[in-house]
Amino acid sequence: MRILSVASECVPFVKTGGLADVVGALPSAMADLGVEMRTLIPGYTQVLEKLGALRKVAELGELFGGKATLQSLKLEGETLYVLRAPHLFERSDGIYLDGKGQDWADNPERFAALCRAAEAICEDGLVNWQPDVLHGHDWQAGLASYYTGRRGTARKTRSVLTIHNIAFHGIADPAKRLALGVAPADFTRDGVEFWGKISALKAGLIFSDRLTTVSPTYAQELLTPEFGMGMDGVMRMRRDDLRGILNGIDLDVWNPAEDRDIRRYKTARGKAANKRILQKEFGLAERDGPLCVVVSRLSQQKGLDLLLEALPTLISGGGQLALLGTGDAALERAFIDAGLDENVGVRIGYDEKLAHRMIAGGDAILVPSRFEPCGLTQLYGLRYGTIPLVALTGGLADTVINASPAALAMGAASGIQFNPVSVEPLRNAIAQLCGLYKRPAVWNMMQKNAMAQPVGWDQSAAEYLAVYRELVASSA
Ligand code: ADP
């Protein structure tokens, strides 16, 4: 089976969040099941710098005011397609944001171009490789499902769109309708119109043959006004075509026994040396007590403002905090201020290697998100014996076994969950964490459970395969 995966980010070439990890990991996970997945991404400046020489595969002609070509590269047996369109993608600053932190004004056109390239590969034989299924990710790929879907039953591919985060709608001014190729008949409430604007996400939600999201709980949450972010009505309409499939993590990259960035360990006992290093690195006293870590974007979604309020509970419980993050300026400032406390260490920035050292050296990892489609850092935590303390939402609800009295009595707990996502329950959860840490037998049991939990791709890859098979069968 042949799958074209279309996304705006892909590890190890370009990443701003978990989407990139998933897109990067899927091809090899699927290859193990006999699926050939090729990935199409934009040729951003930073991608081109990493890739070096590419092979030109096809001309796409004029796309949104400049020439575009499709280029490719084979890496470790997997083919990557890169859309070269210098006028759209070869820029300094961010992949989505300009130097002032604003969305690039032509983001709708930039990602519509990506979708046009996907359409040409899937439907017009642009390359000598015919996909069976178009697998898009988030709003940036939404129009690809629209462009192929509106070709009706004669089309060669069926499509699936994975929702990694429904908060991003891919909104475009209606004046761009013609340029984006949205037919008047589709610019309606039942189509791609969203409150008078065009939404590339909604186009994908309506026109994809199947939808998936990255955890079973988030799939349920998306049907509700609280989590659906204005798209819950559409999601309820499509509920029969929606699946929740958990993300896995790359077990080679995140493996405490082989990780070159840390003092490697096979059992949680090996964490002690990493903890000392981390304490030193963050200027924290080298003492006992639960060392909690956070590795996160600093945004409203992640609930870290709640953590700021609950910090006194951690400190009075004998704990320490080491945080690595970047994002919202007000949150950055607030954490820098919090870092004045001797028990709190803060690094503002993005640093993969430090993230590894933190997951290895921390006793616990805190993820108090208001919503979390899947979440990856709690999975890293599990694998490294770093107990996740998480909000009971989305993928955090599906991947952590809460230290309830029953789970503790059964010896099954692997973390702590709190609910609802507000300050008082978070304080209680932190107090519980500090209490459990003082009971070494219980804490060690939780670490063992955490490290034994399956967090790779095996199960999820099989679930994606089932979706692809359904799609292929439906087109026969
Ligand atoms: P989201 O995609 O919403 O940001 P996820 O938990 O799904 O959240 O994925 C976040 C990914 O980005 C993880 O791989 C995490 O380790 C990484 N990450 C986030 N912030 C940083 C940072 N400041 N430095 C290094 N890695 C980070």
Side-chain angles (χ1 to χ4, degrees):
M1 195 178 317
R2 293 169 165 181
I3 314 292
L4 180 70
S5 172
V6 181
S8 57
E9 302 181 24
C10 177
V11 157
F13 315 114
V14 55
K15 165 171 169 174
T16 72
L19 158 73
D21 294 282
V22 176
V23 171
L26 265 181
S28 72
M30 297 314 303
D32 295 342
L33 299 178
V35 172
E36 187 189 358
M37 177 177 276
R38 297 187 176 184
T39 307
L40 169 66
I41 59 170
Y44 309 111
T45 304
Q46 51 269 67
V47 166
L48 300 176
E49 280 166 1
K50 285 213 176 101
L51 289 179
L54 290 161
R55 192 170 63 87
K56 185 159 130 189
V57 192
E59 300 275 358
L60 279 147
E62 272 297 289
L63 265 185
F64 300 104
K67 277 217 160 50
T69 56
L70 190 72
Q71 308 199 350
S72 82
L73 184 74
K74 205 160 181 166
L75 277 174
E76 292 172 17
E78 281 151 19
T79 298
L80 181 74
Y81 290 121
V82 177
L83 175 62
R84 287 292 300 271
H87 60 295
L88 299 175
F89 300 121
E90 292 175 35
R91 301 174 178 179
S92 51
D93 303 319
I95 61 171
Y96 307 126
L97 305 179
D98 63 18
K100 295 194 195 102
Q102 306 287 326
D103 283 330
W104 291 109
D106 62 349
N107 272 349
E109 291 88 343
R110 296 169 76 221
F111 296 102
L114 183 73
C115 294
R116 284 290 188 206
E119 178 192 24
I121 295 171
C122 289
E123 300 298 327
D124 301 327
L126 184 72
V127 297
N128 191 15
W129 183 80
Q130 177 59 52
D132 301 298
V133 174
L134 162 69
H135 185 169
H137 299 271
D138 273 352
W139 75 264
Q140 292 89 350
L143 285 171
S145 295
Y146 172 65
Y147 295 148
T148 58
R150 70 175 174 188
R151 292 181 179 228
T153 49
R155 66 197 196 277
K156 297 178 186 141
T157 52
R158 294 295 181 266
S159 60
V160 52
L161 184 75
T162 296
I163 305 157
H164 295 262
N165 191 336
I166 206 156
F168 304 111
H169 291 170
I171 294 294
D173 193 281
K176 296 189 174 185
R177 189 184 59 71
L178 261 183
L180 297 178
V182 174
D186 298 324
F187 188 62
T188 63
R189 276 181 56 180
D190 299 332
V192 308
E193 189 241 353
F194 186 70
W195 299 102
K197 303 264 172 69
I198 295 165
S199 163
L201 175 69
K202 195 173 168 209
L205 298 181
I206 299 271
F207 281 87
S208 298
D209 296 292
R210 289 282 189 285
L211 301 173
T212 70
T213 189
V214 290
S215 69
T217 294
Y218 194 56
Q220 290 303 313
E221 290 172 343
L222 287 177
L223 308 177
T224 67
E226 190 187 348
F227 292 95
M229 305 262 173
M231 294 291 175
D232 48 294
V234 186
M235 297 311 299
R236 284 193 295 276
M237 204 173 84
R238 297 293 323 262
R239 71 193 308 162
D240 291 343
D241 298 313
L242 172 67
R243 269 324 126 65
I245 303 178
L246 274 174
N247 288 335
I249 60 171
D250 188 327
L251 298 182
D252 294 329
V253 175
W254 293 96
N255 178 0
E258 309 254 326
D259 190 332
R260 289 178 185 284
D261 294 318
I262 66 165
R263 293 282 174 88
R264 296 189 275 279
Y265 59 90
K266 289 205 168 113
T267 69
R269 269 200 299 279
K271 290 176 68 64
N274 288 289
K275 178 172 178 175
R276 280 195 298 278
I277 293 169
L278 193 62
Q279 285 171 321
K280 198 173 271 169
E281 190 164 4
F282 274 83
L284 300 169
E286 288 174 54
R287 61 165 174 79
D288 199 17
L291 171 57
C292 296
V293 297
V294 172
V295 177
S296 183
R297 288 189 290 120
L298 301 182
S299 74
Q300 152 84 4
Q301 174 194 340
K302 300 294 180 179
L304 294 165
D305 50 315
L306 306 175
L307 177 60
L308 281 167
E309 288 193 63
L311 261 182
T313 307
L314 177 65
I315 292 167
S316 65
Q320 297 171 316
L321 176 73
L323 175 136
L324 167 65
T326 172
D328 181 84
L331 273 173
E332 288 186 355
R333 275 196 302 277
F335 272 106
I336 290 169
D337 284 350
L340 296 175
D341 188 296
E342 61 179 353
N343 297 298
V344 179
V346 172
R347 287 277 182 293
I348 300 301
Y350 188 94
D351 186 335
E352 298 263 353
K353 285 178 185 294
L354 178 56
H356 280 251
R357 293 198 293 280
M358 292 176 72
I359 308 276
D363 294 301
I365 180 156
L366 311 183
V367 195
S369 306
R370 291 193 164 84
F371 69 96
E372 194 58 79
C374 179
L376 293 176
T377 59
Q378 86 281 11
L379 301 178
Y380 306 152
L382 289 169
R383 180 112 162 108
Y384 281 63
T386 309
I387 299 303
L389 185 162
V390 303
L392 185 71
T393 186
L396 303 172
D398 294 332
T399 54
V400 171
I401 303 173
N402 181 39
S404 66
L408 287 171
M410 295 285 289
S414 65
I416 296 171
Q417 291 168 324
F418 69 96
N419 178 49
V421 188
S422 54
V423 178
E424 209 42 47
L426 175 57
R427 283 196 188 112
N428 293 338
I430 289 175
Q432 186 189 3
L433 177 111
C434 295
L436 289 171
Y437 182 82
K438 289 190 187 125
R439 297 164 60 193
V442 177
W443 191 260
N444 293 344
M445 175 267 289
M446 288 176 66
Q447 287 179 316
K448 246 193 199 152
N449 290 340
M451 292 178 84
Q453 242 180 266
V455 289
W457 274 102
D458 287 358
Q459 157 110 20
S460 305
E463 291 179 38
Y464 277 115
L465 179 61
V467 171
Y468 300 151
R469 283 204 173 124
E470 265 177 48
L471 286 171
V472 170
S474 72
S475 65

Coordinates of all heavy atoms in Angstrom, one line a residue, residues 9 16-19 164-165 167-168 294-304 323-328 331-332 335 349-350 369 371-373 377:
E9 N 5.4 20.2 9.0 CA 6.6 20.0 9.8 C 7.0 18.5 9.8 O 6.1 17.7 9.6 CB 6.3 20.3 11.3 CG 5.9 21.7 11.5 CD 5.6 22.0 13.0 OE1 6.2 21.3 13.9 OE2 4.9 22.9 13.3
T16 N 8.1 22.5 15.2 CA 7.7 23.5 16.2 C 7.0 22.8 17.3 O 6.8 23.3 18.4 CB 6.9 24.7 15.7 OG1 5.6 24.2 15.4 CG2 7.5 25.3 14.5
G17 N 6.5 21.6 17.1 CA 5.7 20.9 18.1 C 5.6 19.4 17.8 O 6.3 18.9 16.9
G18 N 4.8 18.7 18.6 CA 4.6 17.3 18.5 C 4.2 16.7 17.1 O 4.6 15.6 16.8
L19 N 3.5 17.5 16.4 CA 3.1 17.2 15.0 C 4.3 16.7 14.2 O 4.3 15.6 13.5 CB 2.5 18.4 14.3 CG 2.5 18.4 12.8 CD1 1.4 17.4 12.2 CD2 2.1 19.8 12.3
H164 N -4.1 17.2 14.9 CA -3.2 17.2 16.0 C -3.5 18.3 17.0 O -3.2 18.1 18.2 CB -1.8 17.5 15.5 CG -1.3 16.3 14.6 ND1 -0.4 15.3 15.0 CD2 -1.5 16.1 13.3 CE1 -0.2 14.5 14.0 NE2 -0.8 14.9 13.0
N165 N -4.2 19.3 16.5 CA -4.7 20.3 17.4 C -5.8 21.1 16.7 O -5.5 21.8 15.7 CB -3.5 21.2 17.8 CG -3.8 22.2 18.9 OD1 -5.0 22.5 19.2 ND2 -2.8 22.6 19.7
A167 N -7.2 23.7 17.6 CA -7.2 25.2 17.9 C -6.8 26.0 16.7 O -7.1 27.2 16.6 CB -6.3 25.4 19.1
F168 N -6.1 25.4 15.7 CA -5.6 26.1 14.6 C -6.5 25.9 13.4 O -6.5 24.8 12.9 CB -4.1 25.7 14.3 CG -3.2 25.9 15.5 CD1 -2.7 24.8 16.2 CD2 -3.0 27.2 16.0 CE1 -1.9 25.0 17.3 CE2 -2.2 27.4 17.2 CZ -1.7 26.3 17.8
V294 N 9.6 20.5 33.6 CA 8.6 20.9 32.6 C 9.4 21.2 31.3 O 10.4 21.9 31.4 CB 7.9 22.2 33.0 CG1 7.0 22.6 31.8 CG2 7.0 21.9 34.2
V295 N 9.0 20.6 30.2 CA 9.6 20.9 28.9 C 8.4 21.2 28.0 O 7.6 20.3 27.7 CB 10.4 19.7 28.3 CG1 10.9 20.0 26.9 CG2 11.5 19.3 29.2
S296 N 8.2 22.5 27.6 CA 6.9 22.8 27.0 C 7.0 24.1 26.3 O 7.8 25.0 26.6 CB 5.9 22.9 28.1 OG 4.6 23.2 27.6
R297 N 6.1 24.3 25.3 CA 5.7 25.6 24.8 C 5.1 26.3 25.9 O 4.3 25.7 26.7 CB 4.7 25.5 23.6 CG 5.3 24.9 22.4 CD 4.3 25.0 21.2 NE 3.1 24.1 21.4 CZ 1.9 24.5 21.5 NH1 1.6 25.8 21.5 NH2 0.9 23.6 21.6
L298 N 5.4 27.6 26.0 CA 4.7 28.4 27.1 C 3.5 29.0 26.4 O 3.6 30.1 25.8 CB 5.6 29.4 27.7 CG 6.9 28.9 28.3 CD1 7.8 30.0 28.9 CD2 6.6 27.8 29.4
S299 N 2.3 28.4 26.6 CA 1.1 29.0 26.0 C 0.0 28.7 27.0 O 0.1 27.8 27.8 CB 0.8 28.4 24.6 OG 0.4 27.0 24.8
Q300 N -1.1 29.4 26.8 CA -2.3 29.2 27.6 C -2.7 27.7 27.6 O -3.1 27.2 28.7 CB -3.4 30.1 27.0 CG -4.8 29.7 27.1 CD -5.4 30.2 28.5 OE1 -4.7 30.9 29.2 NE2 -6.6 29.8 28.8
Q301 N -2.6 27.0 26.5 CA -3.0 25.6 26.4 C -2.3 24.8 27.5 O -3.0 23.9 28.1 CB -2.6 25.0 25.1 CG -2.9 23.5 24.9 CD -2.2 22.9 23.7 OE1 -1.9 23.6 22.8 NE2 -2.0 21.6 23.8
K302 N -1.1 25.1 27.8 CA -0.3 24.2 28.6 C -0.5 24.3 30.1 O 0.0 23.6 30.9 CB 1.2 24.3 28.3 CG 1.5 24.1 26.8 CD 1.3 22.6 26.5 CE 1.6 22.3 25.0 NZ 1.4 20.9 24.6
G303 N -1.4 25.3 30.5 CA -1.8 25.4 31.9 C -0.6 25.8 32.9 O -0.8 25.5 34.1
L304 N 0.4 26.4 32.4 CA 1.6 26.6 33.3 C 1.4 27.8 34.2 O 2.1 27.9 35.2 CB 2.9 26.7 32.4 CG 3.2 25.3 31.8 CD1 4.2 25.5 30.7 CD2 3.7 24.3 32.8
L323 N 12.5 24.2 34.7 CA 11.6 24.4 33.5 C 12.4 24.8 32.3 O 13.2 25.7 32.4 CB 10.5 25.4 33.9 CG 9.6 25.9 32.7 CD1 8.1 25.9 33.2 CD2 10.0 27.2 32.1
L324 N 12.1 24.2 31.2 CA 12.6 24.6 29.9 C 11.4 25.0 29.0 O 10.5 24.1 28.8 CB 13.4 23.5 29.3 CG 13.8 23.7 27.8 CD1 14.7 24.8 27.5 CD2 14.4 22.4 27.2
G325 N 11.4 26.2 28.5 CA 10.2 26.5 27.6 C 10.4 27.8 26.9 O 11.3 28.6 27.3
T326 N 9.6 28.0 25.9 CA 9.6 29.3 25.2 C 8.2 29.6 24.7 O 7.4 28.6 24.5 CB 10.7 29.3 24.1 OG1 10.5 30.5 23.3 CG2 10.5 28.1 23.2
G327 N 7.9 30.8 24.5 CA 6.6 31.1 23.9 C 6.0 32.5 24.4 O 6.7 33.5 24.2
D328 N 4.9 32.4 25.0 CA 4.2 33.6 25.4 C 5.1 34.5 26.3 O 5.7 34.0 27.3 CB 3.0 33.1 26.2 CG 2.1 34.3 26.8 OD1 1.3 34.7 26.0 OD2 2.4 34.7 27.9
L331 N 4.3 34.8 30.1 CA 4.6 33.6 30.9 C 6.2 33.5 31.0 O 6.6 33.0 32.1 CB 4.1 32.4 30.1 CG 2.7 32.0 30.5 CD1 2.2 30.8 29.6 CD2 2.5 31.5 31.9
E332 N 6.9 33.8 30.0 CA 8.4 33.8 30.1 C 8.8 34.6 31.2 O 9.6 34.2 32.1 CB 9.0 34.2 28.7 CG 8.9 33.2 27.6 CD 9.6 33.6 26.4 OE1 10.2 34.7 26.3 OE2 9.6 32.8 25.4
F335 N 7.9 33.2 34.6 CA 8.8 32.1 35.1 C 10.2 32.6 35.4 O 10.8 32.1 36.3 CB 8.8 31.0 34.0 CG 7.7 30.0 34.3 CD1 6.6 30.0 33.5 CD2 7.7 29.1 35.4 CE1 5.5 29.1 33.7 CE2 6.7 28.2 35.6 CZ 5.6 28.2 34.8
G349 N 14.0 29.0 26.2 CA 14.6 28.6 24.9 C 14.1 27.3 24.5 O 13.2 26.7 25.1
Y350 N 14.7 26.8 23.3 CA 14.3 25.5 22.8 C 15.6 24.7 22.7 O 16.5 25.2 22.0 CB 13.6 25.7 21.4 CG 13.1 24.4 20.9 CD1 11.8 24.1 21.1 CD2 13.9 23.5 20.2 CE1 11.3 22.9 20.7 CE2 13.4 22.3 19.8 CZ 12.1 22.0 20.0 OH 11.6 20.8 19.6
S369 N -1.9 20.6 31.3 CA -2.5 21.3 30.2 C -4.0 21.4 30.3 O -4.7 20.5 30.8 CB -2.3 20.4 28.9 OG -0.9 20.2 28.7
F371 N -6.0 21.6 27.6 CA -6.3 20.5 26.7 C -5.0 20.0 26.1 O -4.0 20.7 26.0 CB -7.3 21.0 25.6 CG -6.7 21.9 24.6 CD1 -6.3 21.5 23.4 CD2 -6.7 23.3 24.9 CE1 -5.7 22.4 22.4 CE2 -6.2 24.2 23.9 CZ -5.7 23.7 22.7
E372 N -5.0 18.7 25.8 CA -3.8 18.1 25.2 C -4.2 17.0 24.3 O -4.5 15.9 24.8 CB -2.9 17.6 26.4 CG -1.5 17.2 26.0 CD -0.8 18.4 25.5 OE1 -0.3 19.3 26.2 OE2 -0.7 18.5 24.2
P373 N -4.2 17.2 23.0 CA -4.6 16.2 22.1 C -4.0 14.8 22.3 O -4.6 13.8 22.5 CB -4.2 16.8 20.7 CG -4.3 18.3 20.9 CD -3.9 18.5 22.3
T377 N 5.5 14.6 26.0 CA 6.5 14.7 27.1 C 6.2 13.7 28.3 O 7.1 13.2 28.9 CB 6.8 16.1 27.7 OG1 5.5 16.6 28.1 CG2 7.3 17.0 26.6

